[in-house]
Amino acid sequence: MPTDIAPGLTLRIATPTLKLSDFKVIAFDMDSTLINIECIDEIADAVGRKAEVAAITEAAMRGEIADFKDSLRRRVALLAGVPYAALQEVYDQRLRLNPGAPELLAACRAAGLATLLVSGGFTFFAERVRERLGIDVAHANVLEVVDGRLTGKVLGDIVDGEAKKRHLLELCRQVGCPPTAAIAVGDGANDLPMMGAAGLSVAYHAKPRVREQAMVAINEGGLDRLLEVLR
């Protein structure tokens, strides 16, 4: 039975006596989890297609589109012709870290956890956020750029929900810990595979389906509210 231990903080674990140092790995989604925006929607704004792209993004995050890879290809195709410089403008002008992200990452580092960013978004933003927050490893999708403009294609394998899970399990293997010693934090349906594999799943201002399945749901306040659960 879910328990509200404080306003906007819900637990679905019977005995919340865990410590952060009980874990060895923590994995984060990026868009709308570590940062305040869905980057693809903001890039689409550069060509006046934000509403069209955002509608697909929202449906995918709610779990209404079963094939994330297809939904991403459809959205990226709508970005064809966007100047590559528009990505820097989105990063500079629109992207902000979500409240509590630096504090939670600092606490994870102090407790000795390996940190992972796994995003269905793009490496342009993921690498910058990784560096800004001091995250160990980042995986995201690569946008094809030709003559300074996006082609509307993604290069290589797409990071979807199953890929997020694989990257989490691989980091656990490298660290030498079982998946039960991992935490996964996300907000959308494509985060559910890694959240299901982890020992502790955390929904951050998440879609209803994700909130309902997570062991911890942060519905108000910042990411550092996880530290109210993990002392």
Side-chain angles (χ1 to χ4, degrees), residues 94-157:
R94 306 190 184 195
L95 187 151
R96 302 290 180 269
L97 297 177
N98 270 332
E103 291 81 1
L104 178 56
L105 263 299
C108 290
R109 282 193 297 274
L113 277 71
T115 52
L116 171 66
L117 185 163
V118 275
S119 175
F122 308 117
T123 52
F124 180 93
F125 302 100
E127 282 302 320
R128 286 161 174 77
V129 172
R130 181 197 64 76
E131 185 174 351
R132 197 162 158 185
L133 286 170
I135 293 172
D136 296 320
V137 184
H139 297 281
N141 297 303
V142 181
L143 290 168
E144 184 179 57
V145 181
V146 175
D147 296 330
R149 292 184 179 272
L150 304 187
T151 66
K153 296 179 181 178
V154 180
L155 298 175
D157 293 334

Side-chain angles (χ1 to χ4, degrees), residues 29-226:
D29 171 51
M30 181 176 68
D31 293 42
S32 298
T33 300
L34 285 174
I35 64 175
N36 65 321
I37 60 172
E38 294 287 337
C39 293
I40 192 168
D41 298 353
E42 302 307 319
I43 298 168
D45 203 22
V47 286
R49 307 194 81 162
K50 182 175 180 178
E52 189 176 356
V53 170
I56 302 173
T57 301
E58 180 69 14
M61 293 305 98
R62 287 196 304 260
E64 295 169 3
I65 299 175
D67 190 339
F68 177 84
K69 292 183 179 182
D70 178 64
S71 80
L72 184 68
R73 290 190 187 101
R74 286 166 54 197
R75 285 176 286 162
V76 171
L78 296 172
L79 305 182
V82 171
Y84 185 65
L87 277 64
Q88 189 66 49
E89 291 178 10
V90 169
Y91 180 80
D92 292 338
Q93 299 174 15
R94 306 190 184 195
L95 187 151
R96 302 290 180 269
L97 297 177
N98 270 332
E103 291 81 1
L104 178 56
L105 263 299
C108 290
R109 282 193 297 274
L113 277 71
T115 52
L116 171 66
L117 185 163
V118 275
S119 175
F122 308 117
T123 52
F124 180 93
F125 302 100
E127 282 302 320
R128 286 161 174 77
V129 172
R130 181 197 64 76
E131 185 174 351
R132 197 162 158 185
L133 286 170
I135 293 172
D136 296 320
V137 184
H139 297 281
N141 297 303
V142 181
L143 290 168
E144 184 179 57
V145 181
V146 175
D147 296 330
R149 292 184 179 272
L150 304 187
T151 66
K153 296 179 181 178
V154 180
L155 298 175
D157 293 334
I158 288 177
V159 178
D160 62 356
E162 287 303 313
K164 289 187 177 195
K165 176 182 173 181
R166 286 197 303 272
H167 288 306
L168 171 64
L169 295 177
E170 174 60 19
L171 185 56
C172 289
R173 188 193 66 77
Q174 292 175 12
V175 169
C177 73
T180 51
I183 303 168
V185 186
D187 75 300
N190 67 328
D191 298 315
L192 288 173
M194 73 168 179
M195 291 171 71
L200 184 69
S201 56
V202 182
Y204 179 70
H205 293 247
K207 300 296 182 284
R209 180 179 165 194
V210 180
R211 280 201 311 271
E212 291 161 5
Q213 295 187 39
M215 297 174 188
V216 179
I218 301 170
N219 303 317
E220 298 176 13
L223 280 161
D224 56 341
R225 294 205 68 189
L226 181 58

